[in-house]
Amino acid sequence: MVITLMVTVMSFLSIFTTYLNLNHICRRVVRVIELEGQVSDRAYDVFYRLKQQTSLSPEMTVEDVEYQGGQKIQLRDTFTVTMTYSHPFTIFTPSFAPPVKIDIPMRVSITGMSEKYWKLLE
């Protein structure tokens, strides 16, 4: 009984670890966008590299943003990066059937502010 309880607690830790990894990916992407002042290829490179390192496959959207002159985000303009992921959690693994799993939806939204001034020609 004690071993079953310990295995259950360890399983719940995987949910927490997955959420922390998702939060880390989102924070890193937000920081790149803040420094670049745009959603550039570098932001997507960081996103894809961290997805590969963590073995997660979240979806990313950039919202609440006002672009200037194409894809540029002006100094002190804010944006929000949202990542969603559905974590498969195994409840029970019977020896005679496939495991019983549920998907736990996870969502992380982080707001950033551009640190780059764009001199726009009008």
Side-chain angles (χ1 to χ4, degrees):
M1 178 120 155
V2 171
I3 293 174
T4 305
L5 183 61
M6 288 177 59
V7 168
T8 304
V9 169
M10 297 284 279
S11 297
F12 281 115
L13 287 177
S14 74
I15 296 170
F16 184 66
T17 304
T18 301
Y19 183 78
L20 287 177
N21 283 333
L22 188 64
N23 194 346
H24 174 70
I25 294 169
C26 194
R27 274 189 287 115
R28 293 286 303 272
V29 170
V30 166
R31 188 63 186 142
V32 170
I33 296 171
E34 286 176 336
L35 293 173
E36 298 266 320
Q38 61 184 337
V39 184
S40 63
D41 289 339
R42 185 164 177 249
Y44 284 106
D45 289 343
V46 168
F47 175 62
Y48 293 125
R49 184 172 38 86
L50 290 172
K51 276 177 54 171
Q52 185 178 16
Q53 287 176 358
T54 59
S55 300
L56 298 180
S57 55
E59 298 292 322
M60 178 178 76
T61 57
V62 180
E63 308 166 319
D64 303 327
V65 62
E66 185 177 326
Y67 293 110
Q68 307 287 328
Q71 292 292 315
K72 296 175 171 73
I73 305 170
Q74 191 56 273
L75 179 69
R76 298 188 58 150
D77 282 351
T78 59
F79 60 92
T80 303
V81 175
T82 301
M83 296 204 181
T84 55
Y85 179 69
S86 185
H87 178 67
F89 180 69
T90 304
I91 297 174
F92 179 65
T93 307
S95 60
F96 56 87
V100 177
K101 295 182 178 185
I102 60 170
D103 287 332
I104 299 174
M106 296 183 180
R107 181 176 184 203
V108 174
S109 290
I110 298 178
T111 300
M113 182 182 293
S114 176
E115 296 180 6
K116 184 160 184 171
Y117 174 74
W118 295 98
K119 185 176 180 181
L120 300 173
L121 302 174
E122 297 197 30

